[in-house]
Amino acid sequence: MAHRRAALGRRVLICAPYGRDGTSLERLLEREGYEAQAFAALPALAAALDDLSGAILVTEEALASGVAPLKAWADAQASWSDMPVVLLTRRQIEAGRAVAQNLLSEVVSHLTVLERPLGSPSLLSAIDGALKTRQRQFDTGQRIEQLRASQAALTASEQELRTITDALPILIGFIDQGGVYRFANQAYRDWVGRGPEEMIGQNVHDFMSRTGGHIDVDPRKQAIARALAGEDVMLQLPWPKLDGSYREAEIRYLPRRGETGEIEGFHVFVHDVTDRVQAENVLREAAETLEQRVAERTAELEQEMAGRAEVEAVLRQSQKMEAMGQLTGGIAHDFNNMLTGVLGSLAIIRRRAADGRTEDLDRFIDAAVVSAERAAALTQRLLAFSRRQSLHAQPTDLKALVLSLETLFEQALSENLTLEFDLPDGPMVAAIDPHQLENALLNLVINARDAIAEGGIITVGVRTADPQTQNAEPVFQSRHVVVSVTDTGVGMPAEIAEKVFDPFFTTKPIGQGTGLGLSMVHGFANQSGGAVRIRTEPGQGTTISLHLPMADAALRPIKALVAADLAAGGGRRVLFVEDDPSVRLLVGEVLNELGFEAIEAEGPDFAIQVLQSGVALDLLITDVGLPGMNGRQLAELARESRPDLPILFVTGYAENAVIRADFLASNMAMITKPFSIETLSRRIKAVLEPTVAGEESQAPA
């Protein structure tokens, strides 16, 4: 009888208007352990229906005035909700029973009809069956909501991938085993004069046949056949531009394999290497004539050297473009893995839900969520190395933070490695974003692990900067502290060590890293007002040190977050401004779930109308990046007419909001996409209840 104690759907509502029928039925059910409540009229019963309602027990006489109140309530329910009804009829009046059944059939499909008089066992059996039916409905509804949340996360992840690929000056596509384009980025407009919407669905061979004069077809056909056979292919061809001129194109076809190893198709990466080819030609010509020019005139040598420096700059730019190609390949590989996890899990969930097999869906829902969270983490790494992440700097005890990560470090290490700590006796406080520092330290420990093949020691240390180092480092404008990770691994030669913080540089095999880890650490340290240093020698291990600014303010303990920190709307009204329909749908639903009355606006224009009206508002939630007017400007406008209105900013990436202290004013807070429902709820509570805002702000968003 688990449904009698269930959080939702356990209460039986009774309507029996004649005599003491209602009271008798109520007492009978309560004696049997049910939660029951009797009403004298159907409108009163309909008004009492809520999430705790499990079934309705009505007598034929209660329907004399019609079922309009019940129908109004039923029409407002979700599609999966169908309240079970048990109808008690009089055996002697056949026509009346038929009328009652027809009336209720207009409202519900789960209808049980019992003729009076009847025994208690029959009535209790019918009630028990109705409550079980209602509980199954709630279980189905919860799964539907979880599926919707997973689909929203997938849509956001796909949009993020599209945004990244469209921003790159490289032609990127995917062609399946049948030769059909399944993905194309915006660069196709510049390269072939057709946008992604025109390319997707086309057969590559048909497209090349129609545009045969555009580029040499035969080498590409041979390369496509090799790629579909599982071979990585690279070729370089002259490629006519849309204006009739030519550029040199480097074309890469990289096969993609499924879980069982079969070739699903291949990725296409094409980038302009005209600068590199021209540079190589210039260098070749310079080499052929260099000795003669040196012998003839010293002045000409100086001019040649100046030209050579210019050529080398062009060559470096070309190498950067090659590195961009490597990054694109790494991102495509990682995102394909993540999207496979999300799409595959959702496909299994959809198939099982269609078959009615819902008992094991949580495992696949969790897999989809984990893959989506990995995609979000990769995006954060891209922002970190580019120094465009939103930092929440605060006084943080580095010693306490390192010790709190001990279990996580140990889980990342193999059994042949020893983890040690070199920590000070007292607190060591730095002004940093603790969440981003945790990510950086975990990256450094994992890199140290990969550098130790045969076993060894990894040491995580915290110290103040040496006085000599303090004075010798012009980059530091204030006192600083140092947190370091040292390994006894293979070390690195100087020519490798000087490149380790370069974006996209990695010593790991293809497919095992994009080269963003140490770049992220470097970007975080610099954005925090510090720096990162490396000390290494072949065979002598490696030490990477993060020099971070010391905090002037007193350390405030991080408040432990509990269920009580979640926001409770209580009917308060929120204006939510977001131009992305998927995010607007998700956050609007969350606000309604928390008990808020949400007014949704897809842009600043409607939001301004609401703000300038007489509508009462308790909170403004706005995306930072809005079309026309950004979220900060909208907040300033809101404060003109509503100076005390709390404001919560939502941001995925905003260049002018990377340092929150410079961006936020009084009674303002910020949350970073993507975020969980719990994180959003706590942030809303922190803004609406300033007494806990100071403690809440210590926790990473």
Side-chain angles (χ1 to χ4, degrees), residues 185-245:
N185 69 341
Q186 289 292 340
Y188 272 82
R189 295 188 188 277
D190 176 57
W191 285 80
V192 302
R194 300 189 181 189
E197 68 281 356
E198 299 175 273
M199 296 301 301
I200 294 174
Q202 287 208 45
N203 184 281
V204 64
H205 298 292
D206 294 342
F207 177 74
M208 287 193 297
S209 298
R210 292 195 301 270
T211 58
H214 189 66
I215 191 172
D216 196 354
V217 173
D218 290 336
R220 291 188 66 193
K221 287 184 175 180
Q222 297 172 11
I224 289 173
R226 291 163 58 194
L228 291 175
E231 182 182 347
D232 291 359
V233 182
M234 184 186 76
L235 63 158
Q236 184 175 311
L237 294 172
W239 191 302
K241 295 184 179 180
L242 299 180
D243 61 4
S245 61

Side-chain angles (χ1 to χ4, degrees), residues 257-271:
R257 290 175 169 81
E259 293 182 356
T260 59
E262 77 278 10
I263 303 298
E264 297 179 338
F266 60 92
H267 297 282
V268 180
F269 300 97
V270 184
H271 68 282

Side-chain angles (χ1 to χ4, degrees), residues 193 294 334 356 426 517 541 605 635:
V294 169
D334 289 344
D605 293 340

Side-chain angles (χ1 to χ4, degrees), residues 487-540:
D487 65 72
T488 58
V490 296
M492 289 175 279
E495 61 269 22
I496 297 296
E498 66 184 15
K499 299 178 182 179
V500 294
F501 298 114
D502 290 346
F504 324 136
F505 178 82
T506 179
T507 58
K508 296 180 181 179
I510 294 176
Q512 296 186 17
T514 58
L516 291 177
L518 290 178
S519 297
M520 180 205 72
V521 174
H522 183 270
F524 161 71
N526 280 269
Q527 190 180 351
S528 300
V532 61
R533 298 289 184 263
I534 183 170
R535 186 178 72 252
T536 183
E537 291 181 15
Q540 300 299 316

